[in-house]
Amino acid sequence: MPHYTPPMRDLQFVLHEVLDVVGELKACPAHAELDADTVNAVLEEGGKFAAEVAFPLNASGDAEGCTLDKSTHEVRAPKGFKEAYRAYVEGGWPALSCDPAYGGQGLPFVVNSAFYEMLNSANQAWTMYPGLSHGAYECLHAHGTEEQKRLYLPRLTSGEWTGTMCLTEPHCGTDLGLLRTKAEPQPDGTYKLTGQKIFISAGEHDLAANIVHLVLARLPDAPAGTKGISLFVVPKFKVNPDGSLGERNAIYCGGLEHKMGIHGNATCQMILDGAVGTLVGQPNKGLQAMFVMMNAARLGVGNQSVGLTEVAFQNALAYARERLQMRSLSGPKAKDKPADPIIVHPDVRRMLLTAKAYAEGGRALLSYCALLLDKELHHPDEQVRQDSAELLALLTPIAKAFLTDNGFIAVNECLQVFGGHGYIREWGMEQFVRDARINMIYEGTNTIQALDLLGRKVLANQGATLKKFGKLVQQLIEEEGVNERMSEFINPLAQLAEQMTKFTTEIGFKALQNPDEAGAAAVPYLRVAGHLVFGYFFARMAAEALKAIAAGSTDPFYRGKLQTARFYFARLFPETATLMRQARSGVAALLDTDEALGVDAR
Ligand SMILES: Cc1cc2nc3c(=O)[nH]c(=O)nc-3n(C[C@H](O)[C@H](O)[C@H](O)COP(=O)(O)OP(=O)(O)OC[C@H]3O[C@@H](n4cnc5c(N)ncnc54)[C@H](O)[C@@H]3O)c2cc1C
């Protein structure tokens, strides 16, 4: 059976030593009183919850899955999920970073993000029930009417109710402009929604008293495409004006998907048969409102993969220390044993370090993104709020796609460390691989994230936001470039930073002449950008480790951090050269292929 220990030391390193979240948030009135001890105490307790309550249900939830009672349309989550959710609510965890005006504890998102990484390590399928609620909470908080906020936010904050996002329909996933669910206005100001949604995570379950669905649908006179989409809040049980539960609404689960992983999470086909809802935000502007939830969910999905990478790494490391096979090429290391532990073999270390580097780089990036969100929402300086929002918009597709691609690479490497035993269920590794695969698909596939990054976040503003990130990189290069011991980290970073401008301009120029060029370059482009971001954070982490060592620390943690950064720059970062060649190779090799594919695709 697998095991999991919350990575408290590394979380504290990232939050306090690298990012100085307490110092960074001092200027925000909402977080001025925050101190490191509080952050650490919350995360210690959160780690205990993840390891002791959520983790023991991971394998059993996977084996059992969810069950639908077709006569009542009720879904039962796996054994123990409901009790774990009750403990989560009783512990006050849903309220951690919610607004005190609605009963929240008002802690910054950066703390919640760290807590969620541990939950995702422990049990991704279970964590999706409360995780989606948080996105629904944020969307209603940003775009709901006062009445909607009054009715829904306190109960989403307490965890009494959970939330979902209902976008996908059988014929429309990526292209939401095709969606058909209808919303008919009623004389009382409500709407009746009719249609079918599929693949709705946590669409129906027995964990909470009510489920708050955020549903995209079309008004009768809506223009075609994405400009005609509106957002509605549709509760499973209607809500009376005093906030109590009313009668059952006409939205129900018509079937459960049988899927590759996250078996413990109910992926539901949802039928809306005249379900009553209220409009969120402006008519036909639903997609903009939903983006609050989608952006939160994109960071959340990146977080899922970092969580899985960490837990898979911990298990692979323990196995590699114990498993005896063959002798080291340079002579026996464990002479008293019949063979050496496989951790002596260079390639086993490569697999382990790949996972370690992807977990640690991802942790730094996600914490930074969450800190940007806190500043965007709470910083008193308008310019800081705007800069934070722009940087976060740039980094969100990277956090979603780069971290989930890395996550899948990493959990596969960790499975490989186990050899054939990794493929066998009892070690738990094959579940991590199955669970990690969905993260590259939902919340906008990774291809769509790449198109978003290159098209909307970079080229649409002539690389202005990318330059903002470039300035941070430049500042680090100037500060640390004088330190000889940093040169192994700073030099490759500086080289990529310099190449990035020309690379982006070149792709942008080609895309102007032929937009398909952007489609051909986007995926490798995002990976290059991901490495620029990881390179920046690994250099920052290495600088902190060197400072601690120079100040006399003998903590092996810092030497380990330097070794991980060294591995990252030596073995993972250099793929940027290949990726840039791929991105530059142009569209012809992809689209002039009708004969190769035997179709006339255009
Ligand atoms: C387990 C699970 C849980 C989910 N949870 C939810 C949920 O809670 N709520 C919800 O609304 N949805 C949910 N989804 C749906 C998910 O978000 C969609 O599956 C996803 O957005 C892709 O849509 P699709 O499956 O229709 O694929 P399609 O849109 O049909 O895409 C097929 C392929 O074409 C590619 N493609 C499409 N357009 C382009 C383009 N312009 N350029 C390049 N490539 C393109 C895609 O990248 C993909 O590889 C879930 C899905 C699963 C499997």
Side-chain angles (χ1 to χ4, degrees):
M1 287 297 278
H3 61 89
Y4 172 62
T5 308
M8 220 47 80
R9 178 69 180 96
D10 200 51
L11 279 168
Q12 289 175 1
F13 173 72
V14 169
L15 297 184
H16 304 309
E17 294 170 68
V18 181
L19 297 179
D20 181 23
V21 297
V22 170
E24 287 284 315
L25 292 174
K26 268 277 172 282
C28 306
H31 303 308
E33 304 299 318
L34 187 74
D35 61 76
D37 287 346
T38 308
V39 173
N40 294 345
V42 168
L43 292 182
E44 287 282 346
E45 281 308 304
K48 265 191 216 158
F49 180 88
E52 292 169 15
V53 182
F55 187 62
L57 302 172
N58 193 40
S60 58
D62 177 61
E64 184 187 336
C66 299
T67 346
L68 169 67
D69 179 339
K70 286 210 162 149
S71 62
T72 60
H73 303 293
E74 297 291 325
V75 170
R76 209 183 59 235
K79 198 159 166 275
F81 272 40
K82 190 175 174 174
E83 292 71 19
Y85 186 75
R86 192 181 305 133
Y88 177 81
V89 169
E90 282 168 5
W93 294 109
L96 209 59
S97 63
C98 292
D99 188 345
Y102 300 101
Q105 296 175 32
L107 281 166
F109 281 106
V110 69
V111 177
N112 203 49
S113 172
F115 172 48
Y116 260 74
E117 182 209 305
M118 297 187 279
L119 289 179
N120 284 323
S121 284
N123 194 332
Q124 172 167 328
W126 181 87
T127 301
M128 286 171 71
Y129 294 102
L132 280 152
S133 305
H134 207 76
Y137 162 92
E138 282 174 44
C139 183
L140 286 173
H141 194 272
H143 292 284
T145 60
E146 284 311 313
E147 180 69 352
Q148 284 166 337
K149 289 183 191 177
R150 183 182 72 77
L151 289 179
Y152 294 104
L153 292 185
R155 285 164 188 86
L156 285 170
T157 299
S158 67
E160 213 178 311
W161 300 351
T162 62
T164 74
M165 55 196 300
C166 299
L167 290 72
T168 307
E169 297 180 8
H171 62 286
C172 99
T174 301
D175 191 353
L176 291 171
L178 299 174
L179 75 81
R180 292 183 192 142
T181 297
K182 278 195 228 137
E184 294 280 345
Q186 302 300 302
D188 64 356
T190 64
Y191 295 80
K192 276 203 166 163
L193 283 88
T194 311
Q196 190 193 352
K197 297 284 174 182
I198 61 164
F199 297 167
I200 304 309
S201 300
E204 181 57 58
H205 57 78
D206 58 349
L207 270 55
N210 203 3
I211 303 176
V212 181
H213 302 283
L214 289 183
V215 183
L216 290 181
R218 284 186 185 287
L219 294 168
D221 55 353
T226 50
K227 292 204 169 78
I229 297 176
S230 303
L231 179 63
F232 300 86
V233 56
V234 182
K236 173 179 171 182
F237 287 98
K238 292 179 192 167
V239 181
N240 296 321
D242 65 357
S244 62
L245 291 186
E247 62 183 17
R248 183 75 167 83
N249 205 353
I251 179 166
Y252 56 88
C253 177
L256 285 179
E257 305 297 349
H258 301 282
K259 55 195 194 287
M260 179 176 175
I262 53 164
H263 291 159
N265 193 268
T267 307
C268 303
Q269 297 157 21
M270 299 300 297
I271 312 293
L272 293 106
D273 189 12
V276 176
T278 53
L279 183 71
V280 181
Q282 298 300 310
N284 300 328
K285 297 254 173 14
L287 215 46
Q288 283 98 313
M290 195 57 152
F291 257 108
V292 174
M293 184 162 188
M294 283 151 81
N295 282 329
R298 284 172 182 180
L299 296 178
V301 173
N303 201 327
Q304 292 181 326
S305 283
V306 172
L308 285 175
T309 304
E310 173 65 34
V311 67
F313 165 69
Q314 290 185 14
N315 285 275
L317 177 62
Y319 189 82
R321 281 184 176 142
E322 297 291 323
R323 176 72 172 171
L324 305 180
Q325 290 294 297
M326 307 284 287
R327 287 294 183 189
S328 158
L329 290 171
S330 55
K333 298 291 180 290
K335 293 198 176 110
D336 55 329
K337 300 203 170 119
D340 283 333
I342 59 173
I343 201 161
V344 303
H345 306 308
D347 198 59
V348 171
R349 294 233 180 172
R350 177 192 60 75
M351 294 189 275
L352 293 170
L353 285 161
T354 297
K356 187 168 197 282
Y358 281 154
E360 293 179 8
R363 183 170 296 132
L365 170 56
L366 282 174
S367 302
Y368 183 70
C369 286
L371 184 60
L372 286 175
L373 183 58
D374 286 318
K375 286 194 199 170
E376 176 189 341
L377 294 175
H378 295 294
H379 204 282
D381 184 336
E382 164 75 38
Q383 190 59 48
V384 176
R385 288 205 300 276
Q386 196 182 317
D387 286 348
S388 304
E390 281 173 26
L391 266 181
L392 182 59
L394 176 83
L395 293 175
T396 297
I398 298 174
K400 197 284 178 175
F402 190 59
L403 299 190
T404 60
D405 283 349
N406 292 347
F408 193 62
I409 293 167
V411 294
N412 266 305
E413 296 284 20
C414 291
L415 180 148
Q416 189 78 8
V417 168
F418 284 73
H421 299 272
Y423 202 70
I424 303 302
R425 198 175 254 194
E426 69 176 281
W427 290 94
M429 302 306 285
E430 57 86 45
Q431 185 191 346
F432 298 142
V433 173
R434 286 186 288 104
D435 286 355
R437 187 62 186 85
I438 184 58
N439 301 346
M440 297 148 84
I441 298 172
Y442 55 22
E443 263 328 306
T445 64
N446 285 1
T447 303
I448 297 306
Q449 304 301 322
L451 290 169
D452 177 49
L453 175 73
L454 181 59
R456 291 182 55 228
K457 309 288 169 61
V458 175
L459 298 181
N461 64 12
Q462 283 80 42
T465 319
L466 185 65
K467 280 190 196 124
K468 272 191 187 163
F469 185 75
K471 268 195 192 156
L472 295 178
V473 176
Q474 218 47 54
Q475 196 184 332
L476 182 72
I477 292 169
E478 278 160 27
E479 280 167 18
E480 298 295 339
V482 289
N483 181 351
E484 209 181 302
R485 279 178 305 169
M486 278 295 290
S487 60
E488 60 180 315
F489 312 116
I490 288 295
N491 291 352
L493 176 65
Q495 196 188 1
L496 182 63
E498 201 185 314
Q499 290 168 336
M500 199 69 190
T501 313
K502 188 162 170 265
F503 175 53
T504 305
T505 313
E506 227 179 283
I507 303 228
F509 189 67
K510 275 162 96 176
L512 268 182
Q513 292 167 327
N514 175 5
D516 274 332
E517 291 285 356
V523 168
Y525 182 88
L526 182 140
R527 246 191 116 63
V528 175
H531 278 298
L532 180 71
V533 173
F534 262 38
Y536 169 72
F537 283 112
F538 267 111
R540 279 184 69 173
M541 291 193 282
E544 288 309 319
L546 281 171
K547 267 182 223 153
I549 292 168
S553 172
T554 53
D555 186 346
F557 174 86
Y558 294 112
R559 290 198 304 281
K561 189 58 81 177
L562 282 178
Q563 289 162 359
T564 309
R566 198 164 288 139
F567 166 84
Y568 169 74
F569 278 106
R571 296 297 296 230
L572 301 177
F573 189 84
E575 73 165 322
T576 48
T578 310
L579 290 162
M580 280 196 270
R581 279 189 70 173
Q582 289 171 353
R584 284 182 162 126
S585 68
V587 74
L590 298 176
L591 285 191
D592 292 352
T593 53
D594 289 353
E595 284 74 17
L597 297 176
V599 284
D600 182 1
R602 283 170 291 164

